[in-house]
Amino acid sequence: MPRFVLALFILYVNKCNCQDVPGENIPFEIAPPVEASSTADPREAFIQAISDTQNVIEDEIKPFANFDREPQAPAPTLPPPQEPRYPDYQDLSNSPNIFNPPSRDINRLNVDEFGNPLGDIHSTDTTRYELGVGGDPEELKCPRNWERFRGHCYKFTRSPPKRWDTARELCQQFKHDDSDKADLASIDTFEEHRFITEYLNNHDPQHRRWYISTRQENKDQWINQGDGTQMLNLQDYFLDSNEWGELEQADYKKDHLVYAFSLKNRRWGFQPVFGHEDYLYICEVPIEEVSYLLNEER
């Protein structure tokens, strides 16, 4: 049944059943009937009455227009749009170019550590350099783990300990030619003796014994087997054998020398030994003969 016809029916029923009650409002009013005119067409009057009644009904039932619909939830309220916290690079025109170097502020002033402008000064280093001044690439050097003194290189072999003859053979293996002079160290000057003792003071706190090439050829005549020179003016640096509880007898043939430390004199000096004991040893090579050792290290 159409909604308009249903409403018209409900209005007709209420008009027939309602009674005027004093003090109460009438739900709605209907326009008073218009007196029929003798000259008017009855059909037109009926249509006009229905039209007027329809306008009144629409105003009265407008609050109930949606009474037959399903209940609906109120429309959600959307939050106001917010500015993005991070830049949106969906638009590639605004994305940074990672292949270009960062721009620099060319107008920024150069300042010192206190913030004072430096103007056109680009470097405060006043060091002057001259061409041709510096290290000499042709200068002779000792190999790694060797010590240099004047024109010779010394190697203090810490392990393993060897007998005197074996230690000498190991030092002679540093020869590149048969004419080379690599051998156990030969001590023939006080300056060389002081160099050896200073090194031992700094690098051998255990005070071990170290072989050198010197041998006794005759009574109190000590010859360096490495270069054939005689040890002279170093008699004051020989140590007393009695300090270690060793007996001094004529038949004792202690014909080799080692560096040893005297607790009594608090210094390094020469100590005669037999030569068959296992001690550390010092090799000596002229610096002109070590170039092949440097090439082997490379």
Side-chain angles (χ1 to χ4, degrees):
M1 179 183 295
R3 184 182 300 177
F4 174 74
V5 176
L6 178 61
L8 185 61
F9 177 76
I10 295 174
L11 178 64
Y12 176 76
V13 172
N14 290 337
K15 182 173 180 62
C16 295
N17 296 333
C18 64
Q19 297 180 0
D20 294 339
V21 180
E24 294 186 0
N25 296 327
I26 299 176
F28 48 80
E29 295 180 357
I30 302 179
V34 181
E35 294 182 359
S37 173
S38 59
T39 58
D41 187 359
R43 181 179 295 180
E44 295 180 358
F46 178 75
I47 295 174
Q48 181 66 34
I50 292 176
S51 177
D52 295 340
T53 305
Q54 180 179 357
N55 294 334
V56 174
I57 292 174
E58 289 181 355
D59 294 339
E60 293 294 338
I61 68 175
K62 188 177 293 185
F64 306 99
N66 297 325
F67 74 94
D68 59 342
R69 293 185 180 180
E70 294 291 336
Q72 299 181 6
T77 303
L78 298 178
Q82 298 181 356
E83 294 294 333
R85 297 181 57 185
Y86 303 99
D88 185 9
Y89 293 131
Q90 293 181 358
D91 184 6
L92 298 180
S93 61
N94 298 327
S95 61
N97 191 345
I98 61 175
F99 299 100
N100 293 334
S103 59
R104 299 179 59 186
D105 185 6
I106 60 176
N107 297 323
R108 184 174 56 183
L109 297 178
N110 293 327
V111 296
D112 59 11
E113 57 182 339
F114 303 104
N116 301 319
L118 297 178
D120 295 335
I121 300 177
H122 298 285
S123 176
T124 58
D125 187 3
T126 58
T127 306
R128 299 181 59 184
Y129 300 92
E130 298 181 3
L131 296 178
V133 178
D136 184 4
E138 302 298 330
E139 181 183 1
L140 298 177
K141 299 180 181 179
C142 292
R144 186 188 312 173
N145 299 326
W146 290 64
E147 299 295 327
R148 179 176 178 178
F149 176 73
R150 295 184 176 176
H152 295 77
C153 298
Y154 298 80
K155 182 175 179 60
F156 294 79
T157 305
R158 298 178 176 273
S159 63
K162 298 294 183 180
R163 296 161 53 101
W164 182 87
D165 52 354
T166 305
R168 188 181 184 191
E169 292 177 358
L170 293 174
C171 290
Q172 290 176 345
Q173 291 180 2
F174 290 112
K175 291 182 179 181
H176 187 58
D177 296 324
D178 293 337
S179 59
D180 290 346
K181 300 178 181 179
D183 209 319
L184 285 172
S186 299
I187 313 300
D188 51 9
T189 63
F190 170 75
E191 290 76 14
E192 188 176 11
H193 167 70
R194 183 173 60 182
F195 160 74
I196 298 292
T197 56
E198 287 180 354
Y199 179 89
L200 295 177
N201 276 328
N202 296 327
H203 297 87
D204 187 15
Q206 298 178 357
H207 300 154
R208 292 166 293 185
R209 294 185 175 184
W210 300 76
Y211 274 125
I212 57 177
S213 69
T214 312
R215 286 189 61 183
Q216 184 175 219
E217 299 291 341
N218 296 307
K219 178 66 174 178
D220 296 333
Q221 185 181 8
W222 298 90
I223 305 300
N224 294 313
Q225 304 300 311
D227 57 5
T229 60
Q230 183 177 355
M231 180 183 289
L232 299 175
N233 302 322
L234 294 175
Q235 292 81 3
D236 295 339
Y237 301 98
F238 279 75
L239 303 178
D240 187 4
S241 299
N242 292 333
E243 182 176 347
W244 293 276
E246 299 176 1
L247 299 178
E248 292 184 353
Q249 296 181 2
D251 56 347
Y252 271 33
K253 298 292 293 182
K254 296 182 179 181
D255 293 336
H256 302 80
L257 282 185
V258 296
Y259 268 99
F261 186 81
S262 172
L263 296 176
K264 178 181 178 180
N265 300 324
R266 305 300 301 173
R267 62 179 176 87
W268 289 87
F270 302 112
Q271 173 66 38
V273 294
F274 291 105
H276 59 77
E277 304 92 339
D278 291 332
Y279 294 133
L280 308 183
Y281 52 98
I282 306 172
C283 298
E284 179 181 358
V285 180
I287 196 170
E288 298 86 1
E289 301 176 6
V290 297
S291 57
Y292 76 96
L293 295 177
L294 295 174
N295 294 331
E296 288 181 356
E297 287 186 353
R298 297 174 185 172

